[in-house]
Amino acid sequence: MVLSKNCASLLGRYFRNTLIPKTLSASYTSSQVHADVKLEWTQNLNFTGSSSLLIPSYRVLNQQGQIIKESEDPKLSDSVLEKMYKNMTLLNVIDKILYESQRQGRISFYMTNFGEEATHIGSAAALNEDDVVFGQYRETGVLLWRGFTLSELMDQCYGNCDDQGKGRQMPVHYGSKRLNFVTISSPLATQLPQAAGAAYALKGKNKIVICYFGEGAASEGDAHAAFNFAATLGCPVIFFCRNNGYAISTPSKEQYKGDGIAGRGPGYGINTLRVDGNDIFAVYNATKMAKEYAITENKPVLIEALTYRVGHHSTSDDSTKYRSVEEVQHWTATENPVNRLRLYLENKDLWNEDMEKQWHTESRKDILTAFDAAEKKSKPHWSELFNDVYQEIPDHIRKQMEEMQQHIEQYKDQYPIKAYSP
Amino acid sequence: MTVRDALNSALDEEMEKDDRVYILGEEVAQYDGAYKVTRGLWKKYGDKRVIDTPITEMGFAGIAVGSAMAGLRPVCEFMTFNFAMQAIDQVINSAAKTFYMSAGRVNVPIVFRGPNGAAAGVAAQHSQCFAAWYAHCPGLKVVSPYNSEDCKGLLKAAIRDPDPVVFLENELLYGVQYEMSDEALSKDFVLPIGKAHIARPGEHITLVAHSRAVEICLEAANELAGKGIEAEVINLRSIRPLDMDTINASIVKTNHLVTVEQGWPTCGVGAEILSRVMESETFYHLDQPAIRITGVDTPMPYTKSLEIAALPQPSDVIATVKKLLKAQ
């Protein structure tokens, strides 16, 4: 039945186009079958190769923290600049403390964000809070910018009674309905087609979706599906690629050939930008322009931010096995996105060594306070074990829950009930 | 020898024996594999035989299937079987069915291998058993080895097998040392796919398990022996084909059956075994209803205490056995 229906519509098109030429408008050309771009004919056979079109990388700040071209200065207010810098450095301290706490066995897993701070903060600052975020797993800075509190963050890593995820996810799998940040999901690249779908649903609602992913995730088939559907369905989504040089141990140059991830955009008919991901203003300007375009045109944008994963992939990885110390040092010293913004702020007299020391002490204190509190909090109530597998608890699960209730009531002195939230 | 080294030596020996055998997957070459199962093989056999791929499970599973159709013998490593869901169409619709759909003209000699089942502290999306999923599909052979001997003998058999084999390892067993017999150390050591192994003989009750659950049964059997109950522990080794002969023979002797697995109960491996017993003559040899002990019917909790509660423990096996045998 499906086949015959398709055949009918195909035949219909065939008849309209070929047998009744009189009904065609005069502007019709045969190239319109293949794309909405103008087709040109040639009599020369030449390959279009991987180097035929190289997309340049947009940069605003140089490594000394100076604006290269005045017209590109986003001219952000002093308070926004200070918030940017504070968020970046706060993220660094959080990472140091939680990474160490994993090494001490206090949490089971952690992923640091070192080196990629500008991609998080620069892009988050260019969006509104009601724009929806689909993250991969290394976008903690986006949450900080939106106001995810230190307690919310620590509670998630500890999976305690105040964790909005009810302790069901591994650490760093944050999510916040309040902040329009969709909960991180472990399987790679699934967020890409989901983001296109969410953007499709948000069309005309004056907001967009931003979807973060790595250059490794872009190799998954899901990435192709996402790009093609977003383009053909006209979805207001920013595909934001953090090309950080490594997918666990696989270096970018083994992940793909051709002009990176940005090089794929034009092939899908997606407007594309490539930026220096360690330049917070370049990321900010690109994301801002992408958002304006996506929302007015109802079309996707692809941004490739070139950055570097300074830390290991996760606490399950040891990157010294596959890259040199010199390489990491180069990116930490020369290309450091946090230092670059700091130099800019110091040039403008908005920051100095005393403020740095004071902020470091203050942020460390706040983080440790939230950390200690999270560690002491009780576990989620035991009955949460039965919730949320289905929206309405089915009878067989309800029965189990009631049995457990009676059992615990009867043997309450045998169980560490105090460890669980009342 | 650790399970990891046993797998490594099986790969090494089969690569040496047959130059059609090659390995592909994420980080299998230069990084020696995420769990170091392919350690040293890239150095020994080079880029042509140990291939790092981009992160595209569907893509490299497809490459593996195509190259198997064209006469190679790929060993396709999934970093874990959780990620193999991205490639499920290649495994089920292409690898498993091509021999049949091509009327026996194109076989697909391929091994899909990697860690399966519960790991530790990695929550619902990284910690689950896919044995029942793959065992459901005709055309596949499904192997779920327990110790080092199993891993070496069965992986070699899987590589030599003319059909696609899903080879389900266990992350938590990689680093565990098990004794290897002299025979198992030989390059000619191969275990037959589809044959179970009696890991411990006994006369009072039959415990059937695969992978890490075998260890749980052996621990339980040890403790039960102290109470005068001799449990027979069957290590399934293969989930498809399922060795019902060994299971049936054991039930005829013990008249009691308990299956133990870490996967979910619904449509699981235990459910299949119990059905087959019920449908056969062996049913009349049971003195009590057969029982499944399985992972809890829930996505794997992240919390350590709940994770333990969600998986079968030796104490669960002991309690069930005692109840069945009405022992104190």
Side-chain angles (χ1 to χ4, degrees):
Chain A
M1 216 164 85
V2 174
L3 189 70
S4 65
K5 193 174 155 199
N6 284 344
C7 282
S9 72
L10 277 174
L11 282 174
R13 223 178 290 164
Y14 178 79
F15 282 120
R16 260 204 309 281
N17 291 352
T18 58
L19 295 185
I20 326 170
K22 278 173 202 163
T23 62
L24 290 175
S25 71
S27 63
Y28 181 85
T29 70
S30 53
S31 68
Q32 282 173 350
V33 172
H34 303 107
D36 25 334
V37 289
K38 194 172 178 297
L39 186 69
E40 283 176 15
W41 302 104
T42 178
Q43 280 66 49
N44 301 317
L45 268 180
N46 290 317
F47 285 123
T48 299
S50 57
S51 57
S52 302
L53 172 77
L54 285 176
I55 300 169
S57 191
Y58 173 76
R59 180 178 261 188
V60 176
L61 273 181
N62 66 18
Q63 284 150 346
Q64 289 72 47
Q66 294 150 337
I67 300 278
I68 301 166
K69 188 177 171 194
E70 202 48 42
S71 64
E72 300 310 298
D73 186 344
K75 300 211 165 52
L76 298 166
S77 70
D78 292 355
S79 64
V80 168
L81 289 168
E82 187 180 319
K83 184 180 171 188
M84 281 178 156
Y85 183 72
K86 283 189 165 178
N87 271 196
M88 289 167 99
T89 44
L90 183 71
L91 184 57
N92 289 166
V93 185
I94 291 169
D95 279 351
K96 275 182 202 130
I97 290 172
L98 285 175
Y99 183 81
E100 280 309 311
S101 77
Q102 193 279 338
R103 297 281 119 164
Q104 294 161 3
R106 298 161 95 163
I107 58 174
S108 71
F109 177 84
Y110 194 68
M111 299 176 112
T112 65
N113 304 276
F114 299 121
E116 300 182 48
E117 301 87 348
T119 61
H120 302 188
I121 307 299
S123 59
L127 301 176
N128 293 338
E129 212 173 86
D130 59 354
D131 293 325
V132 178
V133 182
F134 279 77
Q136 180 153 302
Y137 43 62
R138 207 187 305 281
E139 289 88 11
T140 309
V142 176
L143 275 164
L144 290 182
W145 181 268
R146 290 197 171 195
F148 202 58
T149 65
L150 291 173
S151 297
E152 285 176 301
L153 196 135
M154 298 297 172
D155 289 343
Q156 197 285 328
C157 287
Y158 270 102
N160 62 32
C161 60
D162 287 338
D163 167 25
Q164 291 172 45
K166 301 183 180 177
R168 288 179 183 145
Q169 288 258 37
M170 294 167 73
V172 313
H173 289 56
Y174 311 109
S176 174
K177 203 166 183 178
R178 172 174 63 91
L179 301 173
N180 291 306
F181 190 102
V182 179
T183 306
I184 301 298
S185 174
S186 295
L188 197 67
T190 51
Q191 79 275 22
L192 283 140
Q194 291 165 5
Y200 184 72
L202 293 177
K203 256 187 185 196
K205 295 199 172 148
N206 209 31
K207 48 186 166 182
I208 61 143
V209 173
I210 186 163
C211 176
Y212 295 90
F213 60 104
E215 83 289 345
S219 292
E220 292 283 12
D222 288 30
H224 160 74
F227 296 153
N228 203 37
F229 276 91
T232 54
L233 296 173
C235 304
V237 53
I238 300 174
F239 293 112
F240 192 104
C241 177
R242 298 177 291 97
N243 187 342
N244 66 6
Y246 289 90
I248 309 189
S249 81
T250 305
S252 290
K253 58 178 183 286
E254 285 178 30
Q255 190 67 243
Y256 51 75
K257 296 291 163 193
D259 191 21
I261 307 305
R264 297 178 198 173
Y268 288 102
I270 295 179
N271 274 0
T272 299
L273 297 165
R274 172 177 282 145
V275 299
D276 178 351
N278 286 6
D279 172 352
I280 192 165
F281 294 158
V283 174
Y284 176 87
N285 285 349
T287 312
K288 195 146 187 81
M289 182 163 121
K291 178 178 172 171
E292 276 159 21
Y293 175 80
I295 215 159
T296 47
E297 301 287 328
N298 269 324
K299 281 181 184 168
V301 178
L302 172 63
I303 297 176
E304 181 184 25
L306 302 178
T307 180
Y308 188 80
R309 195 195 77 211
V310 169
H312 305 301
H313 164 71
S314 73
T315 47
S316 312
D317 174 41
D318 174 9
S319 66
T320 60
K321 296 272 187 282
Y322 51 83
R323 62 181 182 181
S324 68
V325 178
E326 294 76 41
E327 181 185 308
V328 180
Q329 273 169 353
H330 167 79
W331 284 87
T332 316
T334 317
E335 298 286 354
N336 189 317
V338 184
N339 282 354
R340 222 192 279 189
L341 180 61
R342 182 174 168 180
L343 289 169
Y344 173 84
L345 295 177
E346 285 179 354
N347 290 341
K348 289 190 80 168
D349 232 7
L350 289 171
W351 198 256
N352 57 43
E353 189 57 32
D354 285 345
M355 291 168 84
E356 178 78 18
K357 273 186 189 146
Q358 198 191 334
W359 167 239
H360 187 262
T361 314
E362 185 188 324
S363 56
R364 201 180 142 76
K365 195 175 135 248
D366 290 348
I367 292 165
L368 286 173
T369 306
F371 179 85
D372 288 342
E375 198 169 42
K376 289 195 187 86
K377 282 181 192 172
S378 55
K379 295 171 182 162
H381 191 262
W382 59 262
S383 64
E384 290 296 352
L385 189 63
F386 301 96
N387 290 332
D388 306 328
V389 180
Y390 302 96
Q391 194 151 17
E392 280 176 30
I393 299 185
D395 285 346
H396 72 282
I397 295 182
R398 186 178 301 284
K399 213 173 124 196
Q400 288 173 31
M401 186 153 85
E402 285 162 6
E403 276 173 17
M404 186 160 160
Q405 177 112 44
Q406 286 165 8
H407 177 84
I408 289 182
E409 196 52 44
Q410 195 175 347
Y411 299 102
K412 50 178 171 260
D413 45 334
Q414 302 290 319
Y415 288 98
I417 293 174
K418 280 185 187 147
Y420 295 86
S421 124
Chain B
M1 187 183 269
T2 62
V3 165
R4 176 182 288 114
D5 290 342
L7 291 164
N8 184 271
S9 65
L11 290 166
D12 191 6
E13 287 169 20
E14 292 307 300
M15 288 181 84
E16 198 171 275
K17 178 172 172 284
D18 183 347
D19 61 9
R20 294 172 302 172
V21 177
Y22 79 101
I23 300 172
L24 83 169
E26 290 153 7
E27 323 201 306
V28 293
Q30 238 179 316
Y31 195 53
D32 286 336
Y35 296 98
K36 308 298 167 204
V37 171
T38 53
R39 179 176 283 155
L41 297 177
W42 175 67
K43 282 212 177 88
K44 187 166 173 188
Y45 296 100
D47 286 335
K48 226 176 142 181
R49 311 247 340 248
V50 185
I51 302 171
D52 278 331
T53 69
I55 314 178
T56 319
E57 287 78 9
M58 197 206 309
F60 67 73
I63 300 283
V65 170
S67 66
M69 288 171 175
L72 293 178
R73 301 223 154 212
V75 177
C76 174
E77 173 174 311
F78 291 119
M79 193 181 285
T80 84
F81 265 94
N82 300 288
F83 312 149
M85 288 297 98
Q86 302 261 18
I88 194 78
D89 183 64
Q90 289 290 350
V91 179
I92 303 294
N93 273 327
S94 294
K97 295 177 191 168
T98 294
F99 189 58
Y100 178 79
M101 299 303 282
S102 70
R105 278 173 289 193
V106 181
N107 67 321
V108 186
I110 188 170
V111 179
F112 296 106
R113 55 155 289 272
N116 169 63
V122 289
Q125 292 168 321
H126 276 101
S127 209
Q128 55 202 318
C129 177
F130 292 98
W133 291 53
Y134 293 109
H136 197 59
C137 176
L140 289 178
K141 291 177 182 172
V142 182
V143 176
S144 182
Y146 158 52
N147 58 15
S148 304
E149 272 197 23
D150 282 7
C151 280
K152 183 172 175 198
L154 288 165
L155 184 52
K156 284 165 73 82
I159 294 171
R160 293 181 192 186
D161 200 278
D163 294 314
V165 180
V166 175
F167 195 89
L168 305 167
E169 298 156 16
N170 187 289
E171 183 192 326
L172 300 178
L173 293 177
Y174 279 147
V176 182
Q177 302 257 4
Y178 292 98
E179 257 179 62
M180 291 278 274
S181 61
D182 289 344
E183 194 197 353
L185 290 169
S186 145
K187 285 188 179 184
D188 300 320
F189 179 67
V190 176
L191 288 171
I193 293 174
K195 280 297 289 177
H197 171 65
I198 297 175
R200 178 193 173 113
E203 52 187 323
H204 298 129
I205 190 159
T206 300
L207 304 177
V208 182
H210 68 96
S211 188
R212 197 150 178 258
V214 175
E215 185 126 313
I216 292 157
C217 289
L218 288 172
E219 278 177 37
N222 261 341
E223 204 172 320
L224 287 165
K227 296 177 168 59
I229 297 170
E230 290 300 329
E232 177 145 300
V233 178
I234 296 179
N235 168 10
L236 278 177
R237 286 184 173 164
S238 298
I239 311 296
R240 178 190 266 270
L242 202 49
D243 182 4
M244 286 309 294
D245 291 347
T246 300
I247 297 170
N248 286 332
S250 179
I251 296 170
V252 168
K253 184 169 69 171
T254 66
N255 310 114
H256 294 88
L257 170 67
V258 173
T259 64
V260 186
E261 67 192 299
Q262 294 199 310
W264 291 306
T266 307
C267 305
V269 176
E272 177 63 24
I273 293 170
L274 264 60
S275 308
R276 292 210 202 173
V277 168
M278 188 106 96
E279 288 164 355
S280 77
E281 186 66 24
T282 316
F283 173 71
Y284 300 103
H285 292 273
L286 283 174
D287 286 350
Q288 293 283 334
I291 302 260
R292 291 172 292 165
I293 299 177
T294 69
V296 173
D297 191 19
T298 178
M300 181 64 75
Y302 163 67
T303 311
K304 201 172 176 185
S305 53
L306 291 178
E307 186 181 73
I308 294 168
L311 292 167
Q313 304 298 328
S315 54
D316 299 319
V317 179
I318 292 164
T320 306
V321 168
K322 282 186 181 169
K323 201 171 152 191
L324 264 188
L325 297 177
K326 301 188 168 57
Q328 291 304 307

